[in-house]
Amino acid sequence: MQRREEGQVSENRTNDAEVDGRRGVASAGSLTGTQRAATALRAGIRTGRYVPGQRLVEADLTRELGVGRNSLREAFARLASEGLVLIEPHRGASIRRRTRAEIAGLYDLSEVLEGLAARLAATNITLPGNSELLASATRRLQAGARSGGATEQIDEAARFHEAILAIADNARLTELVVNLHIQTFSFQLRHAHLSGQHPMGDASLSDHLAVAEAIQRGDPQKAETVMREHLRSGKQRVLALPDTVFD
């Protein structure tokens, strides 16, 4: 059992490194203070460390992130331009809240952009390493759905989508979709914690597997169609949530 777990950890690290490398993710040592702060804040938003409406206290964050005040403020401005942070006069920066309509709109954008990513991935699937990368992400997604908690399930779903982006190999498309993921996946995580429910239901897992199958078959039209259907289903689940989730 220990060897199997060690093998899974090794696969996880290899898969993460390959996705990051193909997305052009820089090492922490090569980033400026502003880039380090922005990267850490984006990750914190996606994982639910920073929640909608939370004030971002400069004194705390400069210590936590190890950056100067000017770098932090530049990072706030960068994230504000991405729609992740709200900067108000005399109140400072906070994590931007999203209404039900705004979240639904984000899913509309994701449907179009990730449909394109799935189409490109199906076109590129025969290139070296692509089929193996998707197969690894799919196995991890299934393992997380069987035994993982809410956070792990959401993380594996995000990695599955990011593997597709890596295979699609379009830098600008990746940038746009990752920004959307930060907002939609953080929302799913918040809802999972509030409700105590696991978000990866049978229908969602089935959707992901259908996307993977179409891409592995090299069928661009089918891959785009099933990806868009998957995201429309996600949007419908969001719209069915109670009003308290959007407070």
Side-chain angles (χ1 to χ4, degrees), residues 3-15:
R3 290 182 178 177
R4 182 177 180 182
E5 289 176 352
E6 289 174 351
Q8 182 65 46
V9 169
S10 177
E11 179 182 0
N12 289 357
R13 289 174 177 169
T14 299
N15 189 65

Side-chain angles (χ1 to χ4, degrees), residues 149-236:
T151 301
E152 181 182 348
Q153 291 180 18
I154 290 170
D155 285 345
E156 294 303 342
R159 291 187 183 108
F160 175 83
H161 284 259
E162 288 167 1
I164 292 173
L165 288 169
I167 295 167
D169 194 24
N170 183 302
R172 182 57 176 156
L173 179 61
T174 295
E175 181 182 345
L176 292 170
V177 172
V178 167
N179 179 266
L180 290 170
H181 279 182
I182 293 170
Q183 300 172 74
T184 56
F185 279 103
S186 65
F187 180 85
Q188 290 177 16
L189 183 64
R190 177 170 176 260
H191 170 60
H193 285 169
L194 285 172
S195 65
Q197 298 174 356
H198 289 180
M200 185 65 74
D202 291 341
S204 180
L205 178 59
S206 177
D207 287 351
H208 283 98
L209 296 180
V211 172
E213 181 182 0
I215 293 173
Q216 291 284 20
R217 288 206 315 265
D219 187 338
Q221 182 61 51
K222 182 66 173 179
E224 179 173 4
T225 297
V226 293
M227 176 63 87
R228 295 187 65 151
E229 289 173 350
H230 163 58
L231 289 162
R232 280 198 296 272
S233 296
K235 176 186 173 183
Q236 291 170 359

Side-chain angles (χ1 to χ4, degrees), residues 38 65 144 158 240:
L65 304 179

Side-chain angles (χ1 to χ4, degrees), residues 68-128:
R69 191 175 296 269
N70 287 339
S71 292
L72 183 62
R73 288 179 176 175
E74 289 174 8
F76 286 165
R78 184 172 299 182
L79 297 186
S81 71
E82 297 172 6
L84 302 176
V85 165
L86 178 66
I87 301 176
E88 299 176 285
H90 313 300
R91 290 180 58 85
S94 62
I95 303 301
R96 183 173 173 179
R97 294 181 183 274
R98 293 287 179 181
T99 66
R100 184 191 299 270
E102 286 174 329
I103 291 293
L106 293 174
Y107 272 92
D108 289 340
L109 290 174
S110 291
E111 179 188 331
V112 175
L113 294 176
E114 295 202 64
L116 174 59
R119 172 180 284 275
L120 293 174
T123 300
N124 293 342
I125 194 62
T126 57
L127 296 179

